[in-house]
Amino acid sequence: MEEIEYRPQRGVGVPTLIRACVTGAVAVGLLSLGVQFRAAFYLAAFPAVIAIPSFAAYASSRRLRTRLTAEGIESRRLRTWFIPWAQIRDTEVVSRVTVTDVPVMGNRASGRYGSRSGAATRKEATIRVQQASGRWRELAMPAVWGNAPDPDFTSKARAIEDRWRAATGQAHVN
């Protein structure tokens, strides 16, 4: 059985990277003015507070990966964890409802602070697996994001379920 690896689509994280670069450039510009104006050092802290977590968020979104091996599923976010096929009880697709027509500013429910709508970076659908202990684990990928829809998401979800059923000897149930 060959390994299959799922990674983020190209558009995931680009708005975050742009925000990080712009605010980082503003912070550097204010720091360079700090030679003449002492207050510029303090003003540079505000864009730096936005730039540093934005770079971290971009870096963590690029680390996302799910790999299907002959032994089980390996999923990586900030850390990597592995679930053997025999320890998986069930799989399901989790869809999240997003409200994109209602303007929201700074609402946690919108999925992104300072956004007019949460559609830009909000995860809309993912796959999760239930372990033998009953605990559900959400896989890092594949995922459908507001700014990077995945047209093959359904086939990827089916491939994960088919691999699990084949590895455990279960018949496919519709």
Side-chain angles (χ1 to χ4, degrees), residues 63-121:
R63 281 185 49 86
L64 299 175
R65 180 188 77 193
T66 296
R67 206 166 54 135
L68 309 178
T69 67
E71 296 81 30
I73 298 177
E74 178 184 296
S75 185
R76 179 177 77 183
R77 283 197 172 111
L78 291 177
R79 55 174 262 210
T80 303
W81 47 267
F82 181 81
I83 303 175
W85 293 118
Q87 294 294 316
I88 296 175
R89 207 190 290 173
D90 194 11
T91 66
E92 74 175 6
V93 173
V94 179
S95 296
R96 294 173 174 85
V97 177
T98 58
V99 180
T100 58
D101 298 331
V102 180
V104 179
M105 187 68 168
N107 185 355
R108 286 180 188 230
S110 73
R112 179 178 166 187
Y113 291 101
S115 170
R116 289 282 176 201
S117 92
T121 58

Side-chain angles (χ1 to χ4, degrees), residues 31-43:
L31 283 174
S32 67
L33 287 175
V35 175
Q36 296 172 345
F37 306 103
R38 185 166 176 83
F41 281 119
Y42 300 109
L43 289 175

